[in-house]
Amino acid sequence: MTATKTLIADSQRYIANTYSRYPLILVRGQGCKVWTNDGKEYFDFVAGLAVCNLGHCHPKVVQAIQDQSRKLIHVSNFYHIEPQIELAKLLCENSFADRVFFCNSGAEANEAAMKLAKKYAKDTGRTERFEIITMEKSFHGRTMATITATGQEKFHKGFDPLVPGYKYVPFNDMEAVLRAVTPNTCAIMVEPIQGEGGVNCPSDGYLRELRELCRKRGILLIYDEVQVGMGRTGKLFAYEHEGVYPDIMTLAKSLAGGVPIGAMLATEEVAKSFGPGTHASTFGGNPLATAAGVAAVSTLLEDGVLENCRRVGEHFFNRLMDLKGEYPFIKEVRGRGLIIGMELEFEGSQIVTRCMEEGFLINCTMGNVLRFLPPLIVTTKEVDQLLGALDRILGECKEGTES
Ligand SMILES: *Cc1c(COP(=O)(O)O)cnc(C)c1O
């Protein structure tokens, strides 16, 4: 057997079988490119699922990890941690939020958000409030509470009983939210753009109406920006496009340039319900992760990355719309900045495989939505290279449907 085959056999032998993986072993990355163990090069339009927003191994992130790892890798949150303070300050100064709780993943950030929402209801005397309204086609993580919050049955199957107190409504349907709200509602949680659910954007005024409803009824509004935060949409946070603030927001994925991290941000009013002993995480806000976070966030803010995301994203979107004009089996192109979905009339997995054969990594979600999540530093030229390959591959599909 070749070395690659042996490694893949060991992978399949020893690792829990929770992922269906492509037969590639990725060993190196730089910018928008990754390489396999046998030297094959790919353009990466997956970017670790919206994690590597600055591209692979961004020099400033690498430097920060190297420097911090020589100084201090971990200490307990019994003590103050320099880069943790710095990252919290950066996030608060550039968002609606006053305080940050650090953890290690998106699911954990959402757990923290939902715990805080329940605690806040109790602390403000509304002891009957515990229900959380979330959206159909949402995705909030894989822990028990976050699969329950996720409005997709396929993630619930086999894990009964789920956590009590969740209600689901269709995304972009204000009437449904109004019907679902009861005196027991403590929070509404929504992704400002649904990622896993197929890149679904909010309709005009939807977030504002949610905000208004929450304000009137004393309900907390939680944004899950785990996927669309940190510049993905061309602004640091997706909510900035509408200028509608939440009470709580969650971040993870690209927050530390690829190092595992999660964060829950909240206003002072709400955050005060998290006093000493109410919530914790051993690794949360760890020196190494937050040092990488400081490097990632400051690079995002200083180096014209957001500008590039908007500019290249617009070009990408327009060219995908051109393809839609050309191929009638493309149902819709949706997105903002560099999270773009292209919905097809058929399963997209074959197109993902064909793109891989041509040297491009792309993703498909919900079965038929091709999802493009390149690093935000991607160039127009690199996007055009993918589009050229995609055009050829879609052309093959057209021939397939015609014959
Ligand atoms: C990826 C994702 C999560 C879960 O994050 P993990 O780090 O995998 O726990 C939660 N919400 C959204 C919107 C996501 O895209």
Side-chain angles (χ1 to χ4, degrees), residues 9 13 82 110 141 159 169 204 212 242 244 254 262 271 290 292 324 328 334 353 366 394:
R13 163 74 182 77
E82 270 179 354
N110 286 332
F159 298 113
V169 295
D204 279 347
E212 225 8 58
E242 277 92 357
V244 179
S254 79
T290 47
K324 180 174 178 287
R334 305 184 284 264
T353 305
M366 298 303 273
L394 293 171

Side-chain angles (χ1 to χ4, degrees), residues 19 48-51 104-110 138-143 146 150 189-197 223-228 250-253 260-262 339 371:
Y19 307 98
L49 272 177
V51 168
N104 312 288
S105 69
E108 262 186 90
N110 286 332
S138 60
F139 183 79
H140 299 296
R142 297 292 202 139
T143 61
T146 57
T150 294
M189 182 155 77
V190 61
E191 296 158 79
I193 293 177
Q194 292 186 325
E196 301 306 303
Y223 287 163
D224 178 343
E225 291 223 15
V226 167
Q227 185 159 153
V228 295
T250 56
L251 300 172
K253 292 204 162 87
I261 193 169
I339 174 166
R371 181 173 42 166

Side-chain angles (χ1 to χ4, degrees), residues 72-190:
L72 183 68
I73 292 177
H74 183 82
V75 283
S76 165
N77 279 303
F78 287 155
Y79 315 99
H80 294 279
I81 297 169
E82 270 179 354
Q84 183 182 126
I85 301 164
E86 205 181 332
L87 182 56
K89 197 170 166 196
L90 256 179
L91 290 173
C92 289
E93 285 175 352
N94 288 285
S95 75
F96 76 96
D98 302 307
R99 284 183 190 270
V100 185
F101 173 83
F102 286 107
C103 50
N104 312 288
S105 69
E108 262 186 90
N110 286 332
E111 287 275 351
M114 296 187 292
K115 279 181 74 176
L116 179 60
K118 289 186 184 184
K119 181 81 168 34
Y120 177 74
K122 306 295 178 295
D123 288 354
T124 50
R126 291 172 277 201
T127 50
E128 73 289 355
R129 293 194 178 191
F130 65 94
E131 276 179 4
I132 297 174
I133 297 173
T134 67
M135 306 301 151
E136 290 173 9
K137 296 188 183 172
S138 60
F139 183 79
H140 299 296
R142 297 292 202 139
T143 61
M144 281 308 304
T146 57
I147 57 165
T148 307
T150 294
Q152 301 189 55
E153 260 171 41
K154 67 181 181 203
F155 294 107
H156 299 169
K157 249 183 102 189
F159 298 113
D160 290 336
L162 299 179
V163 176
Y166 286 84
K167 277 191 178 170
Y168 314 101
V169 295
F171 187 58
N172 278 334
D173 185 342
M174 208 49 215
E175 292 300 313
V177 179
L178 288 168
R179 282 194 301 274
V181 167
T182 72
N184 303 122
T185 309
C186 76
I188 297 175
M189 182 155 77
V190 61

Side-chain angles (χ1 to χ4, degrees), residues 253-383:
K253 292 204 162 87
S254 79
L255 176 54
V259 177
I261 193 169
M264 183 211 59
L265 286 68
T267 60
E268 180 65 31
E269 162 66 14
V270 176
K272 65 178 192 256
S273 283
F274 262 4
T278 50
H279 197 49
S281 163
T282 297
F283 285 122
N286 155 295
L288 191 69
T290 47
V294 169
V297 178
S298 40
T299 305
L300 201 55
L301 290 170
E302 287 159 16
D303 288 3
V305 183
L306 297 178
E307 204 332 83
N308 187 72
C309 173
R310 289 193 289 271
R311 194 173 47 78
V312 179
E314 196 180 313
H315 171 79
F316 199 169
F317 188 92
N318 290 339
R319 287 289 293 115
L320 288 171
M321 286 300 284
D322 292 344
L323 291 179
K324 180 174 178 287
E326 208 173 315
Y327 301 109
F329 53 76
I330 298 175
K331 283 170 78 174
E332 203 175 20
V333 179
R334 305 184 284 264
R336 201 170 246 170
L338 284 168
I339 174 166
I340 310 181
M342 188 166 98
E343 186 173 346
L344 306 172
E345 274 174 2
F346 48 81
E347 286 268 314
S349 56
Q350 256 191 316
I351 294 186
V352 174
T353 305
R354 282 288 296 116
C355 282
M356 196 176 296
E357 286 164 8
E358 303 275 331
F360 298 92
L361 304 182
I362 66 165
N363 170 255
C364 178
T365 189
M366 298 303 273
N368 67 335
V369 183
L370 299 182
R371 181 173 42 166
F372 306 100
L373 297 162
L376 310 183
I377 56 163
V378 71
T379 62
T380 306
K381 201 173 144 216
E382 287 165 327
V383 165

